[in-house]
Amino acid sequence: MIMGELRRYLRDNAPVRVSRSVRDLAYRAMQAKERLTAEKGSEPKIEDIAREIGVPRQDVVIALEAISEPISLYEPVFSESGDTIYVLDQIGDHNDDMNWLNEISLKEAMQQLGKREKRILNLRFFRGKTQVEVAKEIGISQAQVSRLEKGALEKIKNRI
């Protein structure tokens, strides 16, 4: 019972929530990797691991990345003679004129939505709440949240 409580605590208080199915797939992939490494004597490719457990390559990549520990953007990557390079320095800026125009178009399209639609999209996509949580907070059914969300996204899509 104590082990179960510890596992639940560690699972529920992880820095990033990962679904159980993705976590299980990652653990299967890690076990397959260990088996293949022992058999071949060298580290297997992702394709080999995917073939071993019978899932698409991209699912293996996503699962393994999902369970890796997040690192700080201020984690030093390289440091020599006082010049430290951080993870943040390694991230490129892909903002160009097209991205700015898309962002402006999105903001303008969202301004055309009703107050309730804006609130639903804010709760769903900016606060990360589920449709059930949004429904409870607003006081409507989950099905209504789903319909309103779908309609709002369709309106935005048509305006962009």
Side-chain angles (χ1 to χ4, degrees):
M1 186 173 103
I2 293 171
M3 288 298 292
E5 288 297 317
L6 286 171
R7 282 189 191 113
R8 186 170 59 88
Y9 175 82
L10 292 172
R11 180 185 68 228
D12 294 345
N13 293 306
V16 177
R17 269 213 151 159
V18 178
S19 74
R20 179 171 237 141
S21 62
V22 171
R23 223 179 20 249
D24 290 345
L25 177 59
Y27 292 132
R28 284 184 24 226
M30 290 185 333
Q31 289 172 341
K33 179 180 177 182
E34 288 176 15
R35 274 193 316 271
L36 292 170
T37 302
E39 289 173 9
K40 293 181 177 182
S42 63
E43 191 165 326
K45 295 180 180 177
I46 296 292
E47 292 82 11
D48 298 332
I49 297 170
R51 197 174 319 110
E52 177 78 15
I53 60 177
V55 296
R57 177 188 186 279
Q58 64 198 30
D59 291 351
V60 172
V61 172
I62 290 169
L64 291 174
E65 286 180 358
I67 64 164
S68 64
E69 286 291 318
I71 61 170
S72 170
L73 291 174
Y74 297 100
E75 182 82 23
V77 175
F78 175 79
S79 182
E80 187 175 295
S81 68
D83 293 333
T84 305
I85 297 175
Y86 299 99
V87 172
L88 182 63
D89 299 327
Q90 301 295 309
I91 299 172
D93 184 10
H94 301 291
N95 285 327
D96 58 4
D97 292 342
M98 200 59 190
N99 285 341
W100 291 108
L101 291 173
N102 287 338
E103 188 175 333
I104 291 169
S105 298
L106 177 63
K107 285 181 180 179
E108 287 177 354
M110 285 190 70
Q111 288 175 349
Q112 303 300 316
L113 297 176
K115 188 175 181 180
R116 185 161 67 168
E117 291 171 320
K118 285 181 192 176
R119 185 166 181 213
I120 289 171
L121 292 182
N122 180 42
L123 292 170
R124 287 281 291 135
F125 299 108
F126 296 105
R127 300 223 178 139
K129 295 194 175 197
T130 65
Q131 288 182 348
V132 173
E133 292 170 333
V134 172
K136 285 180 185 175
E137 189 168 321
I138 294 178
I140 58 177
S141 72
Q142 179 272 323
Q144 288 174 305
V145 170
S146 178
R147 281 192 292 275
L148 288 168
E149 178 184 318
K150 184 177 179 183
L153 292 174
E154 192 64 34
K155 286 179 189 176
I156 289 172
K157 189 169 121 181
N158 290 336
R159 288 197 174 103
I160 292 180

PDB file of all heavy atoms in Angstrom, residues 42-71:
ATOM      1  N   SER A  42      25.521  -2.958 -29.162  1.00  0.00           N
ATOM      2  CA  SER A  42      25.565  -1.530 -29.475  1.00  0.00           C
ATOM      3  C   SER A  42      24.149  -0.969 -29.329  1.00  0.00           C
ATOM      4  O   SER A  42      23.169  -1.713 -29.309  1.00  0.00           O
ATOM      5  CB  SER A  42      26.072  -1.294 -30.898  1.00  0.00           C
ATOM      6  OG  SER A  42      25.179  -1.859 -31.845  1.00  0.00           O
ATOM      7  N   GLU A  43      24.073   0.347 -29.249  1.00  0.00           N
ATOM      8  CA  GLU A  43      22.775   0.990 -29.050  1.00  0.00           C
ATOM      9  C   GLU A  43      21.922   0.865 -30.317  1.00  0.00           C
ATOM     10  O   GLU A  43      22.365   1.196 -31.412  1.00  0.00           O
ATOM     11  CB  GLU A  43      22.959   2.462 -28.687  1.00  0.00           C
ATOM     12  CG  GLU A  43      21.682   3.095 -28.221  1.00  0.00           C
ATOM     13  CD  GLU A  43      21.909   4.425 -27.525  1.00  0.00           C
ATOM     14  OE1 GLU A  43      22.938   4.585 -26.855  1.00  0.00           O
ATOM     15  OE2 GLU A  43      21.034   5.281 -27.672  1.00  0.00           O
ATOM     16  N   PRO A  44      20.667   0.394 -30.173  1.00  0.00           N
ATOM     17  CA  PRO A  44      19.812   0.226 -31.356  1.00  0.00           C
ATOM     18  C   PRO A  44      19.253   1.554 -31.853  1.00  0.00           C
ATOM     19  O   PRO A  44      19.192   2.532 -31.110  1.00  0.00           O
ATOM     20  CB  PRO A  44      18.681  -0.666 -30.818  1.00  0.00           C
ATOM     21  CG  PRO A  44      18.613  -0.346 -29.374  1.00  0.00           C
ATOM     22  CD  PRO A  44      20.023  -0.052 -28.948  1.00  0.00           C
ATOM     23  N   LYS A  45      18.846   1.564 -33.104  1.00  0.00           N
ATOM     24  CA  LYS A  45      18.201   2.739 -33.695  1.00  0.00           C
ATOM     25  C   LYS A  45      16.735   2.755 -33.262  1.00  0.00           C
ATOM     26  O   LYS A  45      16.177   1.727 -32.870  1.00  0.00           O
ATOM     27  CB  LYS A  45      18.290   2.680 -35.215  1.00  0.00           C
ATOM     28  CG  LYS A  45      19.697   2.760 -35.734  1.00  0.00           C
ATOM     29  CD  LYS A  45      19.711   2.697 -37.243  1.00  0.00           C
ATOM     30  CE  LYS A  45      21.136   2.770 -37.759  1.00  0.00           C
ATOM     31  NZ  LYS A  45      21.207   2.647 -39.200  1.00  0.00           N
ATOM     32  N   ILE A  46      16.130   3.914 -33.379  1.00  0.00           N
ATOM     33  CA  ILE A  46      14.713   4.066 -33.023  1.00  0.00           C
ATOM     34  C   ILE A  46      13.844   3.120 -33.850  1.00  0.00           C
ATOM     35  O   ILE A  46      12.895   2.529 -33.348  1.00  0.00           O
ATOM     36  CB  ILE A  46      14.247   5.531 -33.228  1.00  0.00           C
ATOM     37  CG1 ILE A  46      14.987   6.473 -32.286  1.00  0.00           C
ATOM     38  CG2 ILE A  46      12.756   5.671 -33.056  1.00  0.00           C
ATOM     39  CD1 ILE A  46      14.651   6.314 -30.823  1.00  0.00           C
ATOM     40  N   GLU A  47      14.204   2.937 -35.122  1.00  0.00           N
ATOM     41  CA  GLU A  47      13.445   2.036 -35.991  1.00  0.00           C
ATOM     42  C   GLU A  47      13.454   0.607 -35.450  1.00  0.00           C
ATOM     43  O   GLU A  47      12.447  -0.091 -35.503  1.00  0.00           O
ATOM     44  CB  GLU A  47      14.002   2.039 -37.426  1.00  0.00           C
ATOM     45  CG  GLU A  47      13.801   3.324 -38.180  1.00  0.00           C
ATOM     46  CD  GLU A  47      14.841   4.401 -37.853  1.00  0.00           C
ATOM     47  OE1 GLU A  47      15.855   4.096 -37.185  1.00  0.00           O
ATOM     48  OE2 GLU A  47      14.624   5.550 -38.253  1.00  0.00           O
ATOM     49  N   ASP A  48      14.609   0.193 -34.922  1.00  0.00           N
ATOM     50  CA  ASP A  48      14.728  -1.158 -34.362  1.00  0.00           C
ATOM     51  C   ASP A  48      13.840  -1.315 -33.128  1.00  0.00           C
ATOM     52  O   ASP A  48      13.169  -2.335 -32.961  1.00  0.00           O
ATOM     53  CB  ASP A  48      16.183  -1.465 -33.989  1.00  0.00           C
ATOM     54  CG  ASP A  48      17.112  -1.429 -35.195  1.00  0.00           C
ATOM     55  OD1 ASP A  48      16.638  -1.705 -36.312  1.00  0.00           O
ATOM     56  OD2 ASP A  48      18.302  -1.107 -35.006  1.00  0.00           O
ATOM     57  N   ILE A  49      13.842  -0.299 -32.287  1.00  0.00           N
ATOM     58  CA  ILE A  49      13.005  -0.333 -31.078  1.00  0.00           C
ATOM     59  C   ILE A  49      11.529  -0.373 -31.463  1.00  0.00           C
ATOM     60  O   ILE A  49      10.756  -1.159 -30.912  1.00  0.00           O
ATOM     61  CB  ILE A  49      13.303   0.885 -30.175  1.00  0.00           C
ATOM     62  CG1 ILE A  49      14.751   0.841 -29.678  1.00  0.00           C
ATOM     63  CG2 ILE A  49      12.327   0.940 -29.007  1.00  0.00           C
ATOM     64  CD1 ILE A  49      15.212   2.101 -28.989  1.00  0.00           C
ATOM     65  N   ALA A  50      11.143   0.461 -32.430  1.00  0.00           N
ATOM     66  CA  ALA A  50       9.742   0.510 -32.872  1.00  0.00           C
ATOM     67  C   ALA A  50       9.313  -0.841 -33.451  1.00  0.00           C
ATOM     68  O   ALA A  50       8.213  -1.320 -33.163  1.00  0.00           O
ATOM     69  CB  ALA A  50       9.568   1.617 -33.913  1.00  0.00           C
ATOM     70  N   ARG A  51      10.185  -1.452 -34.244  1.00  0.00           N
ATOM     71  CA  ARG A  51       9.876  -2.759 -34.829  1.00  0.00           C
ATOM     72  C   ARG A  51       9.743  -3.815 -33.727  1.00  0.00           C
ATOM     73  O   ARG A  51       8.853  -4.656 -33.763  1.00  0.00           O
ATOM     74  CB  ARG A  51      10.979  -3.145 -35.815  1.00  0.00           C
ATOM     75  CG  ARG A  51      10.599  -4.246 -36.773  1.00  0.00           C
ATOM     76  CD  ARG A  51      11.658  -4.530 -37.845  1.00  0.00           C
ATOM     77  NE  ARG A  51      12.283  -3.353 -38.421  1.00  0.00           N
ATOM     78  CZ  ARG A  51      13.561  -2.994 -38.213  1.00  0.00           C
ATOM     79  NH1 ARG A  51      14.362  -3.722 -37.467  1.00  0.00           N
ATOM     80  NH2 ARG A  51      14.057  -1.906 -38.778  1.00  0.00           N
ATOM     81  N   GLU A  52      10.613  -3.734 -32.737  1.00  0.00           N
ATOM     82  CA  GLU A  52      10.616  -4.707 -31.630  1.00  0.00           C
ATOM     83  C   GLU A  52       9.305  -4.679 -30.838  1.00  0.00           C
ATOM     84  O   GLU A  52       8.779  -5.722 -30.468  1.00  0.00           O
ATOM     85  CB  GLU A  52      11.804  -4.413 -30.700  1.00  0.00           C
ATOM     86  CG  GLU A  52      11.886  -5.280 -29.478  1.00  0.00           C
ATOM     87  CD  GLU A  52      12.429  -6.672 -29.746  1.00  0.00           C
ATOM     88  OE1 GLU A  52      13.009  -6.908 -30.822  1.00  0.00           O
ATOM     89  OE2 GLU A  52      12.254  -7.529 -28.872  1.00  0.00           O
ATOM     90  N   ILE A  53       8.769  -3.479 -30.591  1.00  0.00           N
ATOM     91  CA  ILE A  53       7.541  -3.398 -29.786  1.00  0.00           C
ATOM     92  C   ILE A  53       6.286  -3.241 -30.645  1.00  0.00           C
ATOM     93  O   ILE A  53       5.185  -3.212 -30.120  1.00  0.00           O
ATOM     94  CB  ILE A  53       7.621  -2.281 -28.716  1.00  0.00           C
ATOM     95  CG1 ILE A  53       7.836  -0.911 -29.347  1.00  0.00           C
ATOM     96  CG2 ILE A  53       8.680  -2.597 -27.695  1.00  0.00           C
ATOM     97  CD1 ILE A  53       7.843   0.234 -28.355  1.00  0.00           C
ATOM     98  N   GLY A  54       6.464  -3.144 -31.966  1.00  0.00           N
ATOM     99  CA  GLY A  54       5.327  -3.142 -32.881  1.00  0.00           C
ATOM    100  C   GLY A  54       4.514  -1.871 -32.915  1.00  0.00           C
ATOM    101  O   GLY A  54       3.289  -1.910 -33.011  1.00  0.00           O
ATOM    102  N   VAL A  55       5.201  -0.715 -32.843  1.00  0.00           N
ATOM    103  CA  VAL A  55       4.498   0.572 -32.937  1.00  0.00           C
ATOM    104  C   VAL A  55       5.234   1.456 -33.940  1.00  0.00           C
ATOM    105  O   VAL A  55       6.404   1.208 -34.248  1.00  0.00           O
ATOM    106  CB  VAL A  55       4.406   1.282 -31.563  1.00  0.00           C
ATOM    107  CG1 VAL A  55       3.577   0.497 -30.579  1.00  0.00           C
ATOM    108  CG2 VAL A  55       5.768   1.576 -30.998  1.00  0.00           C
ATOM    109  N   PRO A  56       4.570   2.494 -34.453  1.00  0.00           N
ATOM    110  CA  PRO A  56       5.255   3.398 -35.388  1.00  0.00           C
ATOM    111  C   PRO A  56       6.431   4.126 -34.733  1.00  0.00           C
ATOM    112  O   PRO A  56       6.417   4.396 -33.531  1.00  0.00           O
ATOM    113  CB  PRO A  56       4.158   4.403 -35.785  1.00  0.00           C
ATOM    114  CG  PRO A  56       2.875   3.738 -35.453  1.00  0.00           C
ATOM    115  CD  PRO A  56       3.157   2.820 -34.313  1.00  0.00           C
ATOM    116  N   ARG A  57       7.420   4.446 -35.542  1.00  0.00           N
ATOM    117  CA  ARG A  57       8.641   5.111 -35.077  1.00  0.00           C
ATOM    118  C   ARG A  57       8.325   6.407 -34.346  1.00  0.00           C
ATOM    119  O   ARG A  57       8.876   6.692 -33.298  1.00  0.00           O
ATOM    120  CB  ARG A  57       9.545   5.386 -36.279  1.00  0.00           C
ATOM    121  CG  ARG A  57      10.804   6.121 -35.963  1.00  0.00           C
ATOM    122  CD  ARG A  57      11.545   6.528 -37.240  1.00  0.00           C
ATOM    123  NE  ARG A  57      12.821   7.114 -36.951  1.00  0.00           N
ATOM    124  CZ  ARG A  57      12.998   8.372 -36.598  1.00  0.00           C
ATOM    125  NH1 ARG A  57      11.966   9.167 -36.479  1.00  0.00           N
ATOM    126  NH2 ARG A  57      14.209   8.838 -36.343  1.00  0.00           N
ATOM    127  N   GLN A  58       7.415   7.202 -34.916  1.00  0.00           N
ATOM    128  CA  GLN A  58       7.108   8.506 -34.324  1.00  0.00           C
ATOM    129  C   GLN A  58       6.503   8.369 -32.932  1.00  0.00           C
ATOM    130  O   GLN A  58       6.746   9.205 -32.063  1.00  0.00           O
ATOM    131  CB  GLN A  58       6.180   9.307 -35.230  1.00  0.00           C
ATOM    132  CG  GLN A  58       4.815   8.668 -35.426  1.00  0.00           C
ATOM    133  CD  GLN A  58       4.081   9.222 -36.619  1.00  0.00           C
ATOM    134  OE1 GLN A  58       4.704   9.628 -37.590  1.00  0.00           O
ATOM    135  NE2 GLN A  58       2.768   9.243 -36.548  1.00  0.00           N
ATOM    136  N   ASP A  59       5.743   7.302 -32.683  1.00  0.00           N
ATOM    137  CA  ASP A  59       5.171   7.083 -31.353  1.00  0.00           C
ATOM    138  C   ASP A  59       6.263   6.796 -30.329  1.00  0.00           C
ATOM    139  O   ASP A  59       6.174   7.244 -29.183  1.00  0.00           O
ATOM    140  CB  ASP A  59       4.159   5.936 -31.373  1.00  0.00           C
ATOM    141  CG  ASP A  59       2.897   6.279 -32.144  1.00  0.00           C
ATOM    142  OD1 ASP A  59       2.726   7.457 -32.515  1.00  0.00           O
ATOM    143  OD2 ASP A  59       2.084   5.364 -32.376  1.00  0.00           O
ATOM    144  N   VAL A  60       7.284   6.061 -30.742  1.00  0.00           N
ATOM    145  CA  VAL A  60       8.399   5.762 -29.846  1.00  0.00           C
ATOM    146  C   VAL A  60       9.142   7.047 -29.504  1.00  0.00           C
ATOM    147  O   VAL A  60       9.464   7.312 -28.337  1.00  0.00           O
ATOM    148  CB  VAL A  60       9.368   4.726 -30.471  1.00  0.00           C
ATOM    149  CG1 VAL A  60      10.620   4.568 -29.625  1.00  0.00           C
ATOM    150  CG2 VAL A  60       8.672   3.390 -30.646  1.00  0.00           C
ATOM    151  N   VAL A  61       9.400   7.876 -30.506  1.00  0.00           N
ATOM    152  CA  VAL A  61      10.114   9.137 -30.287  1.00  0.00           C
ATOM    153  C   VAL A  61       9.329  10.024 -29.331  1.00  0.00           C
ATOM    154  O   VAL A  61       9.876  10.564 -28.359  1.00  0.00           O
ATOM    155  CB  VAL A  61      10.367   9.863 -31.630  1.00  0.00           C
ATOM    156  CG1 VAL A  61      10.922  11.263 -31.400  1.00  0.00           C
ATOM    157  CG2 VAL A  61      11.316   9.060 -32.500  1.00  0.00           C
ATOM    158  N   ILE A  62       8.033  10.170 -29.577  1.00  0.00           N
ATOM    159  CA  ILE A  62       7.191  11.015 -28.726  1.00  0.00           C
ATOM    160  C   ILE A  62       7.161  10.493 -27.296  1.00  0.00           C
ATOM    161  O   ILE A  62       7.292  11.256 -26.338  1.00  0.00           O
ATOM    162  CB  ILE A  62       5.761  11.113 -29.310  1.00  0.00           C
ATOM    163  CG1 ILE A  62       5.781  11.945 -30.595  1.00  0.00           C
ATOM    164  CG2 ILE A  62       4.785  11.710 -28.302  1.00  0.00           C
ATOM    165  CD1 ILE A  62       4.496  11.893 -31.396  1.00  0.00           C
ATOM    166  N   ALA A  63       7.016   9.193 -27.142  1.00  0.00           N
ATOM    167  CA  ALA A  63       6.947   8.603 -25.800  1.00  0.00           C
ATOM    168  C   ALA A  63       8.254   8.801 -25.040  1.00  0.00           C
ATOM    169  O   ALA A  63       8.240   9.175 -23.863  1.00  0.00           O
ATOM    170  CB  ALA A  63       6.610   7.115 -25.904  1.00  0.00           C
ATOM    171  N   LEU A  64       9.378   8.565 -25.690  1.00  0.00           N
ATOM    172  CA  LEU A  64      10.660   8.714 -25.008  1.00  0.00           C
ATOM    173  C   LEU A  64      10.944  10.172 -24.657  1.00  0.00           C
ATOM    174  O   LEU A  64      11.507  10.466 -23.598  1.00  0.00           O
ATOM    175  CB  LEU A  64      11.794   8.133 -25.858  1.00  0.00           C
ATOM    176  CG  LEU A  64      11.784   6.605 -25.994  1.00  0.00           C
ATOM    177  CD1 LEU A  64      12.853   6.143 -26.969  1.00  0.00           C
ATOM    178  CD2 LEU A  64      11.965   5.933 -24.638  1.00  0.00           C
ATOM    179  N   GLU A  65      10.550  11.094 -25.525  1.00  0.00           N
ATOM    180  CA  GLU A  65      10.746  12.510 -25.221  1.00  0.00           C
ATOM    181  C   GLU A  65       9.811  12.968 -24.105  1.00  0.00           C
ATOM    182  O   GLU A  65      10.167  13.832 -23.313  1.00  0.00           O
ATOM    183  CB  GLU A  65      10.530  13.363 -26.471  1.00  0.00           C
ATOM    184  CG  GLU A  65      11.661  13.264 -27.460  1.00  0.00           C
ATOM    185  CD  GLU A  65      11.445  14.107 -28.695  1.00  0.00           C
ATOM    186  OE1 GLU A  65      10.388  14.763 -28.827  1.00  0.00           O
ATOM    187  OE2 GLU A  65      12.345  14.125 -29.549  1.00  0.00           O
ATOM    188  N   ALA A  66       8.621  12.382 -24.031  1.00  0.00           N
ATOM    189  CA  ALA A  66       7.637  12.798 -23.035  1.00  0.00           C
ATOM    190  C   ALA A  66       8.074  12.471 -21.614  1.00  0.00           C
ATOM    191  O   ALA A  66       7.711  13.186 -20.684  1.00  0.00           O
ATOM    192  CB  ALA A  66       6.288  12.145 -23.328  1.00  0.00           C
ATOM    193  N   ILE A  67       8.847  11.413 -21.438  1.00  0.00           N
ATOM    194  CA  ILE A  67       9.233  11.047 -20.075  1.00  0.00           C
ATOM    195  C   ILE A  67      10.582  11.626 -19.667  1.00  0.00           C
ATOM    196  O   ILE A  67      11.017  11.431 -18.530  1.00  0.00           O
ATOM    197  CB  ILE A  67       9.241   9.515 -19.862  1.00  0.00           C
ATOM    198  CG1 ILE A  67      10.285   8.843 -20.735  1.00  0.00           C
ATOM    199  CG2 ILE A  67       7.866   8.928 -20.036  1.00  0.00           C
ATOM    200  CD1 ILE A  67      10.604   7.435 -20.318  1.00  0.00           C
ATOM    201  N   SER A  68      11.258  12.316 -20.582  1.00  0.00           N
ATOM    202  CA  SER A  68      12.544  12.916 -20.195  1.00  0.00           C
ATOM    203  C   SER A  68      12.276  14.114 -19.289  1.00  0.00           C
ATOM    204  O   SER A  68      11.277  14.807 -19.430  1.00  0.00           O
ATOM    205  CB  SER A  68      13.338  13.328 -21.430  1.00  0.00           C
ATOM    206  OG  SER A  68      12.660  14.331 -22.138  1.00  0.00           O
ATOM    207  N   GLU A  69      13.183  14.332 -18.358  1.00  0.00           N
ATOM    208  CA  GLU A  69      13.032  15.419 -17.385  1.00  0.00           C
ATOM    209  C   GLU A  69      13.191  16.760 -18.087  1.00  0.00           C
ATOM    210  O   GLU A  69      14.116  16.948 -18.887  1.00  0.00           O
ATOM    211  CB  GLU A  69      14.088  15.301 -16.289  1.00  0.00           C
ATOM    212  CG  GLU A  69      13.811  14.199 -15.307  1.00  0.00           C
ATOM    213  CD  GLU A  69      12.601  14.486 -14.434  1.00  0.00           C
ATOM    214  OE1 GLU A  69      12.431  15.627 -13.974  1.00  0.00           O
ATOM    215  OE2 GLU A  69      11.812  13.548 -14.234  1.00  0.00           O
ATOM    216  N   PRO A  70      12.325  17.719 -17.792  1.00  0.00           N
ATOM    217  CA  PRO A  70      12.500  19.055 -18.367  1.00  0.00           C
ATOM    218  C   PRO A  70      13.733  19.735 -17.764  1.00  0.00           C
ATOM    219  O   PRO A  70      14.091  19.463 -16.625  1.00  0.00           O
ATOM    220  CB  PRO A  70      11.221  19.793 -17.971  1.00  0.00           C
ATOM    221  CG  PRO A  70      10.653  19.037 -16.830  1.00  0.00           C
ATOM    222  CD  PRO A  70      11.139  17.626 -16.954  1.00  0.00           C
ATOM    223  N   ILE A  71      14.381  20.574 -18.554  1.00  0.00           N
ATOM    224  CA  ILE A  71      15.533  21.308 -18.030  1.00  0.00           C
ATOM    225  C   ILE A  71      15.243  22.799 -18.113  1.00  0.00           C
ATOM    226  O   ILE A  71      14.421  23.248 -18.909  1.00  0.00           O
ATOM    227  CB  ILE A  71      16.837  20.968 -18.795  1.00  0.00           C
ATOM    228  CG1 ILE A  71      16.719  21.335 -20.268  1.00  0.00           C
ATOM    229  CG2 ILE A  71      17.234  19.538 -18.609  1.00  0.00           C
ATOM    230  CD1 ILE A  71      18.025  21.265 -21.019  1.00  0.00           C
TER     231      ILE A  71
END
